[in-house]
Amino acid sequence: MRRTPQALIIALAAGAASLLGTQASFAQDGDDEIEVDPEEGTGEGGEEPEIEIEEPPEGDLEADTASLEAESSAADEAVKVDAKVGDYKVSWQDIVTVIRKPFLKIRRWDLMPMLATTMNDNMVRHVSAGAQLSYYLTDVLSVGVEGQYYSKSFREPFDLVARQARRLPTINQYNFSGALNFHYVPVYGKFAILDKNIVTWETYFTAGLGITQSEVVPRDPRFPGFTNLLITPNVGASMRFFLFKWMTVNVGIRDYLFVDKFEPVNRDAMTNATAEDAKENADSAFINNVMFQLGISFWLPPTFEYTTFR
Amino acid sequence: MHSSPLLRLTRLGGLSLASAIAGTIALAAAPSDAAAERRTSGLEDQPAVRHRMLLVAKRFELTPMFESTINADFRHIVGGGLKLEYHLSDMLSFGAVGVFSTSLDTGLVGKISPTLEDSVDDMTREPSDDEFLQHLNEMPLHGAAYVSLTPWYGKLAAFGKAFVNFDFYFQAGVSFASLKSNCDSSICDDDHPGTVDDTDPDNPIQPDLNPNNDPPLNDGSRVGLYLGGGIHVFLNEFLALDLTVRDYAFSDNPSGADFDANLYVDDNDSRFMHHLFMGAGLSIMLPTKVKRTP
């Protein structure tokens, strides 16, 4: 009941808007898409023109994003209402069409437990568990360290080659690795899932330098294997999907490059019988160990504040 | 007090009465219920993105493409082909892909082959170089017919400069492949692998239990399952970079050798295998003009 006068004002505004034309709606016919988050509204049609936006709960990225979208909707409402005033026109140029980045990384720590598996070795599959800790110097550049522990399993061709071609493959397994890495974020974007939920994501490239310990798997178990500590540059690309202010999901591919030392072909009781001799006469080969990685990042501090204007 | 909005309207000159009445009825009728629904979002049933370019809906997609196996055991399959797809909507489409290929020996073959015997010696269990190589098969033609779902679409900014649209899609369907192996009759000369040749009942010939001279039985046509997933990166309204990972799964025995260790090669040595390919193509969307959502 008490809202009726306000409703009248709105009604007048609607009528005036219908008379004044639809310049505002024409302005929408540009190239920009308009994103709408159904979680956030602007009130019923008869409400007062100003929009009340509740502060999103701490650590809720989705609510934060919705809040930003609602602000855009508020501006949209302002265009319709203020058109009747005549002395102050709000144009679409005044509306922020590019919202603030929904996730800030600068001066935050990224702790990422991860799992990884070999992509390019058809003899032995390594699965690794590890973690990566990075610090973002800026919103697009970070420096960090990583460590992984590997577990191996032989794949079908390992047995087939031995059985069908009567040849024993020369195999090295990887035990652990560590690296100092730099990450750079050149690509960011957003996508809609089933035309409903909008998810933001980014792509980052990684380059680093570290070490890997490999270990020879002896073809003949009578002879001992040996280990190698290998200098290991790495390069890679990953995608990060933002779920909350404090958590993201990462998938990526990383190429670990090193020159590995393999068991020499000639090895018997008289030749290369000891680990030292075998290592001395090892065959070297350049290896690309390409791994698919999946990780969940936990961000510290778990929230952030914007320090610039919209 | 509940004063009449219509009375107030009559005092305002120059306004369209019809517009004002319509607006008044629409808006003033709501407040009695508005309090209860004050926090109800008016956008609940709205699409996530308005004025979105429908980059695939109701369009044909023609894609010249290149494709190569990922991590093949014995022979890389590398080739070129064509993908033709029709998008019923911006999420659902159907299509087919066909690829003509050539085969390249993998590094594994390169390591094994030089170490094998130069000439056939049936007294050893080891295959000769020719026996090993001629048992391997090739895949001159393969493809699939599929249904595709595009649940994700979006846009990305590269280096803060290039803004492009993209979508992710997933495909499932039926795969087919034409396999070929060329084992010379002088190499694969066992005409009764694993069985007793009793054409002469008085002198039956026992199986030689040497799989190296058996026909590989890994050629011919295959039909199986197909799964794929990929991304369109739209360069403009009608051209898109198409990157795809495809899995053509069907019965195969790439080595053409004895798999089940019964010392002869038969059809049981073939097993359901995944043939993983990575493809890249340039999609041409027809018609070239796009529509937008409301």
Side-chain angles (χ1 to χ4, degrees), chain B residues 103-120:
Chain B
S103 299
L104 305 170
D105 289 345
T106 63
L108 178 62
V109 171
K111 287 189 175 179
I112 294 173
S113 178
T115 68
L116 297 174
E117 299 169 342
D118 291 332
S119 56
V120 175

Side-chain angles (χ1 to χ4, degrees), chain B residues 190-204:
Chain B
D190 187 349
D191 55 4
H192 58 100
T195 60
V196 177
D197 182 0
D198 54 2
T199 50
D200 180 1
D202 296 331
N203 295 300

Side-chain angles (χ1 to χ4, degrees), chain B residues 85-157:
Chain B
E85 192 168 329
Y86 180 70
H87 296 265
L88 297 166
S89 67
D90 58 341
M91 283 194 193
L92 190 64
S93 60
F94 64 91
V97 59
V99 180
F100 291 93
S101 306
T102 188
S103 299
L104 305 170
D105 289 345
T106 63
L108 178 62
V109 171
K111 287 189 175 179
I112 294 173
S113 178
T115 68
L116 297 174
E117 299 169 342
D118 291 332
S119 56
V120 175
D121 181 358
D122 286 339
M123 300 307 292
T124 68
R125 298 281 299 277
E126 176 184 333
S128 70
D129 190 24
D130 285 340
E131 285 176 327
F132 174 72
L133 291 176
Q134 292 189 24
H135 276 74
L136 304 179
N137 67 359
E138 302 173 351
M139 194 187 302
L141 173 65
H142 69 276
Y146 57 84
V147 174
S148 183
L149 184 68
T150 308
W152 298 352
Y153 63 83
K155 62 174 94 173
L156 58 86

Side-chain angles (χ1 to χ4, degrees), chain A residues 191 199-201 239-243 247-251, chain B residues 152:
Chain A
F191 59 82
V199 175
T200 49
W201 64 284
M239 288 194 293
R240 174 183 291 126
F241 301 92
F242 299 101
L243 300 185
M247 191 175 91
T248 59
V249 172
N250 300 350
V251 294
Chain B
W152 298 352

